[in-house]
Amino acid sequence: MVKENHKTYTIWKLEWPEILEGEETYGLARDLTRNLREVDRREILAFTANVEREVQESIDWSYELQYATTKSGNIIAVWGVQPKRNDQGLRTHALIWCLGTDLIKRYTVSFAKESRTILHEWAKRYGSLYNMVGAFNDDAIRWLQWVGASFDASAKIIKNGETFLPFVIHPERSEEKGGD
């Protein structure tokens, strides 16, 4: 029996080194930057004035990259993972990131479910997942809590007047939140 796909968007996957090959990621970075949600732009601007360069570097430095587009090719969101190694050279954790356009609100439920599955897979493969989120980014904080992230408010970071909360998603925690 073939299941019909009623999903109205597509998720694309790229891995290193194909991320660095070709025009696809440059166009992706350009389109994402042009249509970036204001809350994501605000987070980036706390660290650098060059939003397009930061978006391009996030893409280029990712080991795995995924992005969602509408059927007409408009970008919904882009996310990636950058594995890190410990002193012994073992992959024990990874930096994750996600940037979106305003279209993400149209796909909130399905994006949340699929991203939780993706993060669960990444946590199994790379260990603890981490980054920080703007304390003003309520939607991202709710989503991170839902996927199993824990926050350390005592370790908050203030950058150019903006407060950021570090978070971590542990592999065992992501398994608890795993499939639906």
Side-chain angles (χ1 to χ4, degrees):
M1 182 176 150
V2 175
K3 263 186 155 177
E4 199 171 335
N5 183 356
H6 294 287
K7 196 165 59 170
T8 58
Y9 63 93
T10 303
I11 293 180
W12 306 88
K13 297 177 183 181
L14 296 171
E15 292 184 353
W16 190 91
E18 73 181 323
I19 290 169
L20 298 175
E21 298 170 359
E23 182 64 25
E24 182 176 5
T25 59
Y26 297 120
L28 183 61
R30 226 179 2 260
D31 291 348
L32 179 60
T33 302
R34 190 176 15 245
N35 297 296
L36 198 60
R37 293 181 320 147
E38 281 308 309
V39 70
D40 289 336
R41 187 175 306 280
R42 182 177 169 189
E43 285 185 346
I44 292 170
L45 287 171
F47 291 89
T48 180
N50 192 332
V51 174
E52 187 168 4
R53 184 187 73 222
E54 184 65 25
V55 170
Q56 186 67 59
E57 287 178 353
S58 294
I59 289 171
D60 288 347
W61 294 346
S62 292
Y63 187 75
E64 287 184 57
L65 178 75
Q66 297 190 26
Y67 61 100
T69 61
T70 63
K71 285 186 177 182
S72 60
N74 296 316
I75 295 173
I76 299 167
V78 181
W79 57 97
V81 61
Q82 301 167 6
K84 306 297 179 185
R85 297 185 184 276
N86 66 12
D87 293 339
Q88 292 76 38
L90 301 172
R91 286 187 189 156
T92 58
H93 56 290
L95 177 95
I96 58 170
W97 61 274
C98 179
L99 297 169
T101 68
D102 288 330
L103 287 172
I104 203 165
K105 287 192 181 281
R106 201 179 297 170
Y107 304 94
T108 301
V109 173
S110 55
F111 175 78
K113 286 181 180 180
E114 288 196 66
S115 62
R116 184 163 69 176
T117 300
I118 292 163
L119 290 175
H120 171 69
E121 290 170 12
W122 284 354
K124 280 185 6 186
R125 232 178 300 156
Y126 302 115
S128 295
L129 307 174
Y130 72 94
N131 204 333
M132 62 179 115
V133 61
F136 50 84
N137 195 339
D138 296 332
D139 289 340
I141 290 170
R142 273 193 302 281
W143 169 70
L144 285 163
Q145 289 170 330
W146 187 75
V147 298
S150 57
F151 297 86
D152 185 357
S154 68
K156 70 182 175 187
I157 296 162
I158 299 176
K159 196 73 172 160
N160 291 320
E162 299 286 12
T163 302
F164 288 83
L165 302 172
F167 68 84
V168 64
I169 301 170
H170 295 288
E172 59 278 0
R173 184 86 192 261
S174 99
E175 286 177 23
E176 293 168 13
K177 294 279 185 177
D180 263 347

PDB file of all heavy atoms in Angstrom, residues 3 13 16 24 29 46 55 68 74 83 93 99 101 121:
ATOM      1  N   LYS A   3       1.286   5.145   0.696  1.00  0.00           N
ATOM      2  CA  LYS A   3       0.671   6.249   1.418  1.00  0.00           C
ATOM      3  C   LYS A   3       0.820   7.515   0.603  1.00  0.00           C
ATOM      4  O   LYS A   3       1.898   7.822   0.117  1.00  0.00           O
ATOM      5  CB  LYS A   3       1.375   6.457   2.758  1.00  0.00           C
ATOM      6  CG  LYS A   3       0.716   5.829   3.917  1.00  0.00           C
ATOM      7  CD  LYS A   3       1.443   6.237   5.164  1.00  0.00           C
ATOM      8  CE  LYS A   3       0.538   6.166   6.344  1.00  0.00           C
ATOM      9  NZ  LYS A   3       1.217   6.486   7.571  1.00  0.00           N
ATOM     10  N   LYS A  13      17.994  17.703   2.143  1.00  0.00           N
ATOM     11  CA  LYS A  13      19.129  17.390   3.009  1.00  0.00           C
ATOM     12  C   LYS A  13      20.423  17.500   2.219  1.00  0.00           C
ATOM     13  O   LYS A  13      20.509  17.018   1.091  1.00  0.00           O
ATOM     14  CB  LYS A  13      19.011  15.974   3.568  1.00  0.00           C
ATOM     15  CG  LYS A  13      17.798  15.767   4.441  1.00  0.00           C
ATOM     16  CD  LYS A  13      17.699  14.339   4.912  1.00  0.00           C
ATOM     17  CE  LYS A  13      16.420  14.148   5.728  1.00  0.00           C
ATOM     18  NZ  LYS A  13      16.296  12.789   6.232  1.00  0.00           N
ATOM     19  N   TRP A  16      28.136  17.432   4.379  1.00  0.00           N
ATOM     20  CA  TRP A  16      29.479  17.832   4.010  1.00  0.00           C
ATOM     21  C   TRP A  16      30.100  16.703   3.216  1.00  0.00           C
ATOM     22  O   TRP A  16      29.895  15.546   3.576  1.00  0.00           O
ATOM     23  CB  TRP A  16      30.285  18.123   5.282  1.00  0.00           C
ATOM     24  CG  TRP A  16      31.588  18.760   4.993  1.00  0.00           C
ATOM     25  CD1 TRP A  16      31.839  20.091   4.925  1.00  0.00           C
ATOM     26  CD2 TRP A  16      32.814  18.101   4.722  1.00  0.00           C
ATOM     27  NE1 TRP A  16      33.145  20.294   4.624  1.00  0.00           N
ATOM     28  CE2 TRP A  16      33.775  19.082   4.488  1.00  0.00           C
ATOM     29  CE3 TRP A  16      33.198  16.769   4.620  1.00  0.00           C
ATOM     30  CZ2 TRP A  16      35.089  18.782   4.175  1.00  0.00           C
ATOM     31  CZ3 TRP A  16      34.510  16.464   4.313  1.00  0.00           C
ATOM     32  CH2 TRP A  16      35.436  17.473   4.099  1.00  0.00           C
ATOM     33  N   GLU A  24      23.930  26.081  -4.889  1.00  0.00           N
ATOM     34  CA  GLU A  24      22.713  25.837  -4.111  1.00  0.00           C
ATOM     35  C   GLU A  24      22.740  26.532  -2.753  1.00  0.00           C
ATOM     36  O   GLU A  24      21.786  27.208  -2.369  1.00  0.00           O
ATOM     37  CB  GLU A  24      22.507  24.336  -3.921  1.00  0.00           C
ATOM     38  CG  GLU A  24      21.240  24.000  -3.164  1.00  0.00           C
ATOM     39  CD  GLU A  24      20.998  22.500  -3.073  1.00  0.00           C
ATOM     40  OE1 GLU A  24      21.846  21.713  -3.509  1.00  0.00           O
ATOM     41  OE2 GLU A  24      19.941  22.137  -2.553  1.00  0.00           O
ATOM     42  N   ALA A  29      21.346  30.812   1.196  1.00  0.00           N
ATOM     43  CA  ALA A  29      21.716  31.845   2.173  1.00  0.00           C
ATOM     44  C   ALA A  29      21.143  33.203   1.777  1.00  0.00           C
ATOM     45  O   ALA A  29      20.627  33.939   2.626  1.00  0.00           O
ATOM     46  CB  ALA A  29      23.233  31.932   2.310  1.00  0.00           C
ATOM     47  N   ALA A  46      22.843  40.848  17.309  1.00  0.00           N
ATOM     48  CA  ALA A  46      23.480  41.003  18.619  1.00  0.00           C
ATOM     49  C   ALA A  46      24.952  40.608  18.556  1.00  0.00           C
ATOM     50  O   ALA A  46      25.752  41.040  19.387  1.00  0.00           O
ATOM     51  CB  ALA A  46      22.751  40.170  19.671  1.00  0.00           C
ATOM     52  N   VAL A  55      24.709  34.052   8.101  1.00  0.00           N
ATOM     53  CA  VAL A  55      23.849  32.987   7.573  1.00  0.00           C
ATOM     54  C   VAL A  55      24.677  32.063   6.674  1.00  0.00           C
ATOM     55  O   VAL A  55      24.613  30.841   6.800  1.00  0.00           O
ATOM     56  CB  VAL A  55      22.638  33.575   6.814  1.00  0.00           C
ATOM     57  CG1 VAL A  55      21.880  32.487   6.061  1.00  0.00           C
ATOM     58  CG2 VAL A  55      21.701  34.309   7.776  1.00  0.00           C
ATOM     59  N   ALA A  68      13.588  23.434   4.537  1.00  0.00           N
ATOM     60  CA  ALA A  68      12.225  23.163   4.086  1.00  0.00           C
ATOM     61  C   ALA A  68      11.796  24.268   3.133  1.00  0.00           C
ATOM     62  O   ALA A  68      12.058  25.448   3.383  1.00  0.00           O
ATOM     63  CB  ALA A  68      11.276  23.095   5.277  1.00  0.00           C
ATOM     64  N   ASN A  74       9.592  28.452  -2.009  1.00  0.00           N
ATOM     65  CA  ASN A  74       9.921  29.467  -1.002  1.00  0.00           C
ATOM     66  C   ASN A  74      10.486  28.813   0.252  1.00  0.00           C
ATOM     67  O   ASN A  74       9.953  27.806   0.719  1.00  0.00           O
ATOM     68  CB  ASN A  74       8.683  30.289  -0.637  1.00  0.00           C
ATOM     69  CG  ASN A  74       8.173  31.082  -1.822  1.00  0.00           C
ATOM     70  OD1 ASN A  74       8.947  31.687  -2.558  1.00  0.00           O
ATOM     71  ND2 ASN A  74       6.865  31.070  -2.018  1.00  0.00           N
ATOM     72  N   PRO A  83      29.176  19.128  14.397  1.00  0.00           N
ATOM     73  CA  PRO A  83      29.741  18.271  15.446  1.00  0.00           C
ATOM     74  C   PRO A  83      31.050  18.848  15.982  1.00  0.00           C
ATOM     75  O   PRO A  83      31.825  19.444  15.238  1.00  0.00           O
ATOM     76  CB  PRO A  83      30.004  16.946  14.729  1.00  0.00           C
ATOM     77  CG  PRO A  83      29.203  17.002  13.485  1.00  0.00           C
ATOM     78  CD  PRO A  83      29.073  18.440  13.122  1.00  0.00           C
ATOM     79  N   HIS A  93      29.530  16.079  21.230  1.00  0.00           N
ATOM     80  CA  HIS A  93      28.473  17.079  21.278  1.00  0.00           C
ATOM     81  C   HIS A  93      28.450  17.826  19.943  1.00  0.00           C
ATOM     82  O   HIS A  93      29.362  17.662  19.125  1.00  0.00           O
ATOM     83  CB  HIS A  93      28.690  18.044  22.447  1.00  0.00           C
ATOM     84  CG  HIS A  93      30.020  18.725  22.447  1.00  0.00           C
ATOM     85  ND1 HIS A  93      31.215  18.075  22.708  1.00  0.00           N
ATOM     86  CD2 HIS A  93      30.359  20.002  22.181  1.00  0.00           C
ATOM     87  CE1 HIS A  93      32.219  18.928  22.627  1.00  0.00           C
ATOM     88  NE2 HIS A  93      31.740  20.104  22.303  1.00  0.00           N
ATOM     89  N   LEU A  99      17.204  28.771  11.527  1.00  0.00           N
ATOM     90  CA  LEU A  99      16.739  30.101  11.154  1.00  0.00           C
ATOM     91  C   LEU A  99      15.531  29.932  10.258  1.00  0.00           C
ATOM     92  O   LEU A  99      15.488  29.024   9.425  1.00  0.00           O
ATOM     93  CB  LEU A  99      17.837  30.868  10.411  1.00  0.00           C
ATOM     94  CG  LEU A  99      19.109  31.143  11.204  1.00  0.00           C
ATOM     95  CD1 LEU A  99      20.207  31.667  10.280  1.00  0.00           C
ATOM     96  CD2 LEU A  99      18.838  32.120  12.335  1.00  0.00           C
ATOM     97  N   THR A 101      11.848  31.739   8.163  1.00  0.00           N
ATOM     98  CA  THR A 101      11.133  32.860   7.565  1.00  0.00           C
ATOM     99  C   THR A 101       9.758  32.919   8.231  1.00  0.00           C
ATOM    100  O   THR A 101       9.388  32.022   8.994  1.00  0.00           O
ATOM    101  CB  THR A 101      10.967  32.658   6.047  1.00  0.00           C
ATOM    102  OG1 THR A 101      10.072  31.564   5.814  1.00  0.00           O
ATOM    103  CG2 THR A 101      12.311  32.401   5.373  1.00  0.00           C
ATOM    104  N   GLU A 121      17.544  12.109  16.190  1.00  0.00           N
ATOM    105  CA  GLU A 121      18.554  11.398  15.394  1.00  0.00           C
ATOM    106  C   GLU A 121      19.933  12.029  15.570  1.00  0.00           C
ATOM    107  O   GLU A 121      20.931  11.321  15.722  1.00  0.00           O
ATOM    108  CB  GLU A 121      18.160  11.402  13.915  1.00  0.00           C
ATOM    109  CG  GLU A 121      16.965  10.540  13.601  1.00  0.00           C
ATOM    110  CD  GLU A 121      16.451  10.741  12.181  1.00  0.00           C
ATOM    111  OE1 GLU A 121      17.140  11.375  11.348  1.00  0.00           O
ATOM    112  OE2 GLU A 121      15.328  10.259  11.899  1.00  0.00           O
TER     113      GLU A 121
END
